[in-house]
Amino acid sequence: MSILAQYKVLPQISSGSAMALAVAARAPYAMIPLGTMTAVTASTTSVATGGLATAFVSIALAIASPLIGRWADHQGQRFVLSLLTPINAAALALLVYTSATGNDGPLLWLSCILAGGTSLPIGSFTRTRWVTVVKNQRELNTALSYESTVDEMVFVLGPALVGIAASAAVPVAPLILAAVLVLLAGVPFALTAPAPIDQPQEDAERPSIMRILWAVAPAIGVMFCIGMFFGSVQTGTTERALELGSPSVAGLVYAVMGVGSAFMALMAVAIPDSVRISSRVFVGGLGMTLFILVTTTATHSLLFTAAALLLTGLFVGPTMVTAFGVTEKLAPRGGTAVAMTSMQSAITIGISIGSSVGGKLALSGAGYSYMFAGVAALIIVVIGVALRIAGTKRRVRATPEKTLA
């Protein structure tokens, strides 16, 4: 069976319309942080205020996501999403109002917290749905590869939509578009949610959030580092384009890495099952480290920078797919949604830290931001080694499906 032919099974398991709906429903998730930055900065004429507003949104989103996941594990996605979706649309409407009026007081911070705290982790919930309907591990690997590809494209196209909407209309247009998508795609996504993914459990039997997070800690670590990698590479690329006198193409150069990453996430189904998860993490982190260091040397050419980022992206996509695969394997029963949403929180926090630290380092040159990204990738290598050691120690008592070495 060819690589792309493996994806033909997905519309048969779900449906083409449901898959398209999930793509549209997750777009606001990628648009809200940058949309907030654009709108608030324009209305207050202060980048610092825009950055602080974005931080409020991102922190609220990161904290709330696992709690929303826990709620969904307990009550089911349909109940939780049906309640939160209109609240999120209303919170975005409030954020549009405060941004458009130039408000920089408590009402702005409250609207940011509400918008972030009620943001819907659609990608995580979609992965949770796949876990319940696929018939075997190969189908699950295919579904996770597809979802990682969609995430990559959304996070590449989402910021592009923000830029287009803000340029073509008004600075708050991206937030208005996000609110409309929440209503038009988020509501149907909520109403088509399945019954609770696990059999009913007493609260005493349900694993605590801390136990779930500890169980999937290696995957969270990988996703957090990928987030830092994204954030620092974005700031480094922005500074590199500025250094070479072409700041307007920074987004396009950065997007090249996303294209490479999305392509290889799609191709990840071709990796033989015999290749251990620890080896996948190790090789992915090593490739990211080596090629981002190559990017640091492209000081005189945006074309060379783009080429190096394209090669770097080839290792990012499969690593993301692997991280979600580790999450599915390690999440205890009754904690799937918490585990999946914690991955989204990890990458969100990682991007924030990577952007902040990378931005400060970029003041001394784009290469320093890229080197910080290399450190984040190197940590992924270490996690791969740790998974190998841990898997080797417990191989005797682990089932073949649960062995991570």
Side-chain angles (χ1 to χ4, degrees):
M1 182 183 295
S2 67
I3 295 174
L4 294 180
Q6 296 185 46
Y7 289 95
K8 291 182 179 179
V9 71
L10 297 185
Q12 299 170 10
I13 297 173
S14 179
S15 71
S17 59
M19 293 168 67
L21 181 64
V23 174
R26 82 181 71 188
Y29 204 91
M31 296 172 63
I32 292 172
L34 184 57
T36 301
M37 179 73 173
T38 302
V40 175
T41 298
S43 64
T44 63
T45 66
S46 170
V47 175
T49 302
L52 185 58
T54 305
F56 271 103
V57 170
S58 299
I59 292 172
L61 186 153
I63 293 174
S65 288
L67 301 178
I68 294 173
R70 177 54 177 246
W71 194 12
D73 275 331
H74 185 65
Q75 296 289 343
Q77 287 189 23
R78 181 175 300 181
F79 175 80
V80 173
L81 291 175
S82 297
L83 181 62
L84 281 182
T85 301
I87 294 177
N88 184 237
L92 287 172
L94 178 61
L95 183 55
V96 168
Y97 169 76
T98 55
S99 300
T101 55
N103 191 307
D104 61 355
L107 185 61
L108 173 62
W109 314 130
L110 176 62
S111 63
C112 289
I113 292 172
L114 290 175
T118 58
S119 289
L120 309 174
I122 303 296
S124 300
F125 280 162
T126 304
R127 287 181 173 89
T128 302
R129 294 183 187 186
W130 284 117
V131 169
T132 66
V133 297
V134 296
K135 299 176 182 177
N136 52 57
Q137 188 63 43
R138 176 168 291 278
E139 288 183 353
L140 179 59
N141 291 341
T142 302
L144 294 179
S145 295
Y146 163 76
E147 291 298 329
S148 293
T149 302
V150 172
D151 276 347
E152 289 283 356
M153 297 311 297
V154 167
F155 277 99
V156 169
L157 296 178
L161 283 175
V162 169
I164 293 171
S167 300
V170 291
V172 295
L175 293 178
I176 296 174
L177 178 58
V180 171
L181 284 173
V182 167
L183 290 174
L184 295 183
V187 171
F189 181 84
L191 297 178
T192 55
I197 62 170
D198 293 313
Q199 295 297 320
Q201 289 177 280
E202 296 294 333
D203 287 342
E205 299 175 348
R206 194 172 293 275
S208 67
I209 291 180
M210 291 307 300
R211 178 189 164 194
I212 298 168
L213 296 181
W214 179 253
V216 299
I220 290 176
V222 171
M223 195 58 68
F224 174 74
C225 289
I226 290 176
M228 285 201 300
F229 189 88
F230 282 159
S232 54
V233 170
Q234 189 171 33
T235 57
T237 303
T238 301
E239 178 62 25
R240 172 68 55 78
L242 185 63
E243 291 171 352
L244 296 178
S246 302
S248 61
V249 302
L252 292 176
V253 175
Y254 175 73
V256 170
M257 186 177 74
V259 171
S261 180
F263 174 77
M264 284 307 295
L266 200 64
M267 297 295 105
V269 294
I271 301 176
D273 294 337
S274 58
V275 178
R276 295 168 175 169
I277 285 180
S278 57
S279 298
R280 301 183 193 196
V281 173
F282 177 84
V283 172
L286 186 62
M288 291 165 62
T289 302
L290 293 177
F291 283 105
I292 201 61
L293 292 180
V294 171
T295 309
T296 65
T297 66
T299 55
H300 301 296
S301 171
L302 282 178
L303 183 61
F304 186 17
T305 299
L309 289 178
L310 176 65
L311 294 174
T312 303
L314 299 181
F315 292 88
V316 176
T319 307
M320 287 185 66
V321 174
T322 300
F324 280 108
V326 172
T327 303
E328 183 273 328
K329 289 178 181 295
L330 296 183
R333 180 175 178 269
T336 307
V338 171
M340 290 296 182
T341 50
S342 70
M343 297 289 280
Q344 202 70 61
S345 295
I347 196 168
T348 299
I349 295 173
I351 289 173
S352 298
I353 294 176
S355 297
S356 177
V357 176
K360 289 181 172 60
L361 292 174
L363 295 176
S364 300
Y368 291 96
S369 292
Y370 289 137
M371 283 190 282
F372 181 70
V375 172
L378 193 59
I379 295 175
I380 295 176
V381 175
V382 174
I383 293 174
V385 173
L387 283 173
R388 179 64 178 270
I389 294 173
T392 300
K393 287 183 177 179
R394 65 169 175 266
R395 187 177 298 131
V396 174
R397 56 181 188 275
T399 62
E401 291 77 17
K402 293 293 184 179
T403 300
L404 297 179

